[in-house]
Amino acid sequence: MEEYKDGILLFDLTDQKVWSKAVKDTVGLKEYYDKNKNNYMWDKRVEANIYTLKDRGKAQKVKNFIKSGLATQDILKELNTDSLKVLTIESGKFSKKDNKYIDQIDWIPGISSDFPSDSSLVFVDIIKILNAEPKALNESRGLITADYQNFLEKIWIGYLRHKYPVEIHKDILGQIK
C-alpha cells in the first residue's frame, strides 16, 4: 500500500511539475520553440495543385484556365455542376512521399505531363518550390510539447539532485553485501 501511495504521489507531482505545466505554459513553450526551432524543420517542399479529371477531354480547357490565372475555385465552378463532379483539385504543400504524383514529376514550377489512370486523368500544377524551413509552432505542437516536457523534467530532476544530494554510505553498503 505504501508503494502504491508513493506512486500516486509521484504521478501527481510529475503531472504538476512537468506534463500539465508543459501544456498550460504557452509562454514557456513558445520560448522553448524559439530557442530550438531548427530542430523542427520541413524538408524541401512544393506548393501545388493536383487536378483529377473524370472527363479526359476537358484537360486542355482546365490547363488553359490555369495559364490564364483563373483561381482554382473558379475553375471548379466552370467545370462542375451540382449533379456532376468532373474535376477535383487537391491544393497544398507537399513533401516527398506525400503524394504519388508529386513524387513522379520534376519539381519545376508549371504544369506537369498527364497521368492517365483507370477512369480519370491527373496532372499537377507546381506553383512554387519551398526551401527547407522551420515548422511553425502550430504545425508540430505535439512533438514540441513532448520535447518541452523532457526539458522541464531534466530541470526538475536537476533541482531535486541539487537540493537532495545522493549520499552513498559505502561502509553500510559493504555490510549488506
Side-chain angles (χ1 to χ4, degrees):
M1 288 300 281
E2 195 66 31
E3 284 182 32
Y4 181 74
K5 178 184 162 201
D6 291 346
I8 290 175
L9 288 173
L10 178 61
F11 179 86
D12 286 342
L13 193 55
T14 305
D15 182 52
Q16 177 186 357
K17 297 284 187 183
V18 178
W19 303 323
S20 292
K21 182 176 181 179
V23 173
K24 293 176 186 173
D25 182 14
T26 55
V27 173
L29 182 65
K30 174 81 170 98
E31 287 176 4
Y32 178 81
Y33 165 75
D34 288 339
K35 290 178 184 172
N36 297 286
K37 68 174 141 186
N38 289 333
N39 295 338
Y40 310 100
M41 297 288 288
W42 285 111
D43 291 330
K44 185 176 179 182
R45 300 178 294 161
V46 293
E47 184 177 335
N49 296 317
I50 302 169
Y51 295 83
T52 305
L53 278 159
K54 290 183 182 173
D55 182 351
R56 295 179 185 191
K58 302 209 183 227
Q60 192 55 48
K61 186 176 185 179
V62 173
K63 290 177 183 180
N64 290 339
F65 284 147
I66 295 168
K67 289 176 184 172
S68 71
L70 198 61
T72 55
Q73 293 304 327
D74 295 330
I75 296 172
L76 286 169
K77 287 178 188 174
E78 285 288 329
L79 269 76
N80 291 339
T81 62
D82 291 335
S83 61
L84 185 60
K85 303 290 183 206
V86 176
L87 173 68
T88 58
I89 303 172
E90 181 183 354
S91 300
K93 297 175 182 174
F94 301 91
S95 298
K96 290 285 185 187
K97 299 181 183 172
D98 282 350
N99 181 283
K100 68 180 182 179
Y101 301 111
I102 297 290
D103 290 347
Q104 294 179 44
I105 61 173
D106 292 329
W107 285 16
I108 300 169
I111 299 172
S112 75
S113 56
D114 297 340
F115 295 98
S117 66
D118 297 336
S119 61
S120 61
L121 176 94
V122 178
F123 62 89
V124 177
D125 178 24
I126 293 185
I127 299 163
K128 65 181 172 180
I129 310 296
L130 304 168
N131 291 322
E133 63 183 353
K135 293 180 181 179
L137 177 59
N138 64 346
E139 293 174 323
S140 58
R141 183 174 291 276
L143 182 59
I144 296 167
T145 301
D147 289 349
Y148 184 50
Q149 288 173 338
N150 291 337
F151 172 74
L152 290 174
E153 185 176 20
K154 285 180 185 174
I155 289 173
W156 181 45
I157 290 173
Y159 165 77
L160 291 174
R161 287 189 177 173
H162 177 73
K163 186 172 181 179
Y164 305 105
V166 175
E167 295 178 23
I168 299 175
H169 300 280
K170 293 192 179 201
D171 55 332
I172 296 174
L173 183 61
Q175 292 175 2
I176 296 173
K177 288 182 181 179

